[in-house]
Amino acid sequence: MGTTVATTRTLGLIGLGAMGAPMASHLLEHHGRVVITGRERKYAALENLGAEWVDTPVAMAEMVDAVLVMLPDLPQLEEVLFGPHGLLAAGRPLLLMVGSTTSPTRLRELADDPRLENVRVVDCPVSGGVDGATSASLSIMLGGSEDDTVEAASWLSPCGRPVHLGPLGAGQVAKACNQLVVTSTILALGEASVLAERSGIDLGRLWDLLSGGYAGSNLLQARRDKLVAGDYTASGVARYAVKDLAFATDVAQATQTHAMLLPTLVAAFDELVERGFGDCDIAVTRRFVEER
């Protein structure tokens, strides 16, 4: 283990995928110093912008005050924390901001692990997809203590709008609510597109018209061209909805909510993935309905 002393206001970022990489660019521009790591050193564009590469999470923890994690779920986070070269091996106090979409119950259990005694945990899942990450317009859902979320907001505000919603796990509950609305909306948009097209209606003209009424939404605006053209190149991968809806179901059970839409959405997206559309954009609901 090294003896590097952390520099004030230095941020680490782990999880440089479709969301994490554009977020890193905004964080670099605003904060001036961001440390990155990953399984492979393949982020030359970020390094050219000034990001500092380290080979391991423990090396990162020795240099930073806070770490933003944009990994798929808790198993990947646990590897980053508890592995032999994980963040905890540095033995330094950290603010850990968990941008993963995961179970609020499991996240609280993780935060209570005695091995994290020097780590303050905030959950900060985001909504807005790759478009929002690129344009720095993400909705950032914060859960944690007042002091910790104020600090997290100061780190994350270059990426969008952070809002404190409650104690640890509240961000994950908010993300579950968000995904319930998003998946139900995109399924309705896909189904309506098929109904209209098979009735001889021009989809472009239809969605341009309906976008000005109650059917309009940010999701329709973002997916209008994909729905019309049948372009399912992913900017929001459909298979992730399966995991997100499972967490929403957990929240429904924990709150004794007898959900109406959730079981239907779970069945629909399970079937969508089984039919081989899981790596497509969520706008693939149109093709999914067409081929049923």
Side-chain angles (χ1 to χ4, degrees):
M1 186 186 306
T3 57
T4 305
V5 177
T7 303
T8 303
R9 300 293 294 176
T10 302
L11 176 67
L13 199 158
I14 300 174
L16 296 164
M19 298 290 291
M23 291 175 70
S25 298
H26 297 304
L27 294 167
L28 265 168
E29 182 179 358
H30 185 84
H31 294 300
R33 189 179 187 209
V34 172
V35 180
I36 61 174
T37 192
R39 294 186 184 276
E40 300 177 57
R41 187 171 184 173
K42 57 181 182 180
Y43 307 104
L46 288 174
E47 290 192 68
N48 290 337
L49 290 174
E52 300 176 43
W53 170 268
V54 291
D55 290 328
T56 62
V58 65
M60 173 182 287
E62 292 171 345
M63 300 172 65
V64 304
D65 304 292
V67 177
L68 170 62
V69 178
M70 295 299 297
L71 295 170
D73 201 353
L74 288 191
Q76 295 83 8
L77 174 59
E78 289 167 349
E79 181 182 349
V80 162
L81 285 170
F82 302 125
H85 302 289
L87 293 169
L88 298 183
R92 294 190 60 255
L94 288 172
L95 175 68
L96 180 67
M97 298 176 288
V98 181
S100 311
T101 300
T102 189
S103 161
T105 302
R106 288 182 58 209
L107 180 64
R108 294 183 191 114
E109 291 172 352
L110 176 67
D112 287 338
D113 190 308
R115 290 174 290 180
L116 270 70
E117 61 180 347
N118 291 324
V119 178
R120 295 171 292 134
V121 181
V122 168
D123 58 318
C124 59
V126 302
S127 178
V130 175
D131 294 339
T134 302
S135 63
S137 59
L138 293 170
S139 296
I140 305 170
M141 303 163 237
L142 298 178
S145 73
E146 185 70 32
D147 289 345
D148 291 346
T149 53
V150 166
E151 182 178 345
S154 72
W155 285 115
L156 298 174
S157 58
C159 297
R161 182 183 177 218
V163 175
H164 183 202
L165 297 168
L168 185 67
Q172 301 299 339
V173 174
K175 183 62 182 284
C177 294
N178 179 83
Q179 296 306 84
L180 171 59
V181 173
V182 169
T183 53
S184 58
T185 302
I186 197 63
L187 186 58
L189 289 172
E191 195 161 293
S193 294
V194 176
L195 290 174
E197 191 273 335
R198 289 180 176 175
S199 300
I201 294 175
D202 181 276
L203 281 185
R205 296 179 70 185
L206 173 72
W207 290 128
D208 288 344
L209 174 64
L210 297 189
S211 65
Y214 285 151
S217 65
N218 288 341
L219 186 61
L220 174 55
Q221 181 180 1
R223 293 301 189 277
R224 181 259 187 211
D225 292 346
K226 287 183 177 293
L227 287 165
V228 171
D231 171 17
Y232 308 125
T233 306
S235 60
V237 179
R239 61 183 165 84
Y240 290 158
V242 173
K243 173 175 70 79
D244 296 345
L245 290 169
F247 297 143
T249 301
D250 291 344
V251 173
Q253 292 172 346
T255 57
Q256 298 182 334
T257 302
H258 188 66
M260 297 283 291
L261 281 175
L262 265 174
T264 299
L265 292 168
V266 168
F269 278 87
D270 281 347
E271 182 182 337
L272 184 150
V273 171
E274 288 170 4
R275 287 175 176 263
F277 301 135
D279 290 324
C280 299
D281 187 83
I282 55 174
V284 78
T285 52
R286 175 186 168 182
R287 183 175 173 188
F288 170 61
V289 172
E290 286 173 337
E291 295 190 5
R292 291 186 84 231

